[in-house]
Amino acid sequence: MDIIFPILGLAIPILIIVGIVYFVLKIKADLPISFSYRGALRVYFYVVILISVGLGGLGGVSTLLKVGFGEMVGREFSYGNVYEEHRDDQQREKYDQQREKNEDYPADTEDETRSLPEKVELEMKGSLINGVSLAVIGMFLLLVHFLGRWWVERGDERSDLLRRLYLMAGLLIFAIVTIVSLATGIPETLRYALLDINPGEESPGEPLSIAIVALPVWICYLVATLRNIRTPFLVQAT
């Protein structure tokens, strides 16, 4: 769930910029700016499709990949934060015990904290539940809104300005997500594999999973954008 808010924080300003560009291009081309119900519905479908891809792919499928990496490579590969928090808890407990001994405080004999394997297992199960839920929700929303857009959109609108701005917005969002996750995940993976480090000091499971999901989505938007741009030239040539 931690990835959802950064994605929304990234997508919202890009969508705002795309909207501004749309109106500027309309004004420069001396085209009338009219607000039709069908046009607003197309904008709605495009925005929700982008959100659905981010929700189901980056939020759901990548979380399931993270769980898979944790099972195949090692739990610390995906859940390094749990190891770090456990070490912090142990240091805090030692400090509290030492303070109680020095100040003659009564020792607390009840141990209510979970062990490290229990914490990791709980985190893994929580990630599995979140991943399945987000993947199902995202794929359902994507299917419904993709069919709705296909039903509303006319043939000549599949290469118009609004369609191109939607493709450009998706291209920018997933390009940034892919580049950032690759730049984070690959060095962490190499440090995890090549350096002698404590468990949890490097945890490349999450950024690597996001990169694996975002890369093909980025390529799909890139191919669709190039194909959309080339379509008018192919029509003119024929």
Side-chain angles (χ1 to χ4, degrees):
M1 291 296 291
D2 294 340
I3 190 63
I4 301 300
F5 295 106
I7 292 173
L8 290 177
L10 173 66
I12 290 173
I14 291 179
L15 291 174
I16 292 174
I17 293 172
V18 168
I20 294 173
V21 171
Y22 175 76
F23 286 110
V24 169
L25 292 177
K26 279 273 193 179
I27 294 172
K28 290 185 66 176
D30 292 329
L31 296 175
I33 301 177
S34 59
F35 295 92
S36 65
Y37 176 76
R38 204 172 62 82
L41 195 58
R42 288 183 65 204
V43 173
Y44 161 77
F45 282 133
Y46 283 138
V47 171
V48 177
I49 286 173
L50 283 175
I51 295 174
S52 301
V53 174
L55 186 69
L58 303 183
V61 178
S62 68
T63 303
L64 296 177
L65 281 177
K66 175 184 171 182
V67 175
F69 280 133
E71 291 296 311
M72 292 184 297
V73 181
R75 297 290 177 88
E76 67 276 6
F77 187 84
S78 295
Y79 306 108
N81 60 311
V82 180
Y83 288 80
E84 290 291 335
E85 291 173 0
H86 183 72
R87 279 196 289 268
D88 293 338
D89 291 340
Q90 286 183 323
Q91 293 178 356
R92 194 178 301 110
E93 288 176 3
K94 289 180 181 179
Y95 173 79
D96 291 340
Q97 290 175 358
Q98 187 65 31
R99 185 173 60 87
E100 290 172 356
K101 186 182 298 183
N102 293 338
E103 299 182 8
D104 294 329
Y105 286 159
D108 187 3
T109 57
E110 295 183 1
D111 185 13
E112 298 179 354
T113 60
R114 294 185 175 93
S115 64
L116 178 58
E118 290 175 338
K119 291 178 180 179
V120 176
E121 186 71 17
L122 184 63
E123 184 75 12
M124 186 272 293
K125 291 180 179 179
S127 297
L128 186 61
I129 293 172
N130 290 338
V132 172
S133 301
L134 293 178
V136 172
I137 295 171
M139 296 308 170
F140 173 76
L141 292 175
L142 178 62
L143 178 62
V144 170
H145 288 82
F146 184 83
L147 292 175
R149 190 216 68 188
W150 177 80
W151 183 70
V152 169
E153 202 169 55
R154 295 195 300 258
D156 58 340
E157 293 176 334
R158 294 176 184 174
S159 59
D160 66 354
L161 179 60
L162 182 59
R163 168 79 170 177
R164 291 183 177 182
L165 289 175
Y166 152 72
L167 292 174
M168 186 59 64
L171 183 63
L172 287 173
I173 291 171
F174 290 103
I176 294 173
V177 172
T178 304
I179 293 171
V180 172
S181 57
L182 283 174
T184 304
I186 291 179
E188 286 189 3
T189 302
L190 293 176
R191 289 195 296 267
Y192 177 89
L194 301 177
L195 300 180
D196 185 15
I197 57 178
N198 295 323
E201 288 185 354
E202 295 294 341
S203 182
E206 183 172 9
L208 196 61
S209 301
I210 294 173
I212 291 174
V213 174
L215 180 59
V217 178
W218 176 24
I219 293 174
C220 288
Y221 271 97
L222 178 61
V223 172
T225 302
L226 295 176
R227 184 179 299 169
N228 186 277
I229 292 175
R230 286 175 57 86
T231 299
F233 296 101
L234 295 176
V235 172
Q236 292 176 6
T238 56

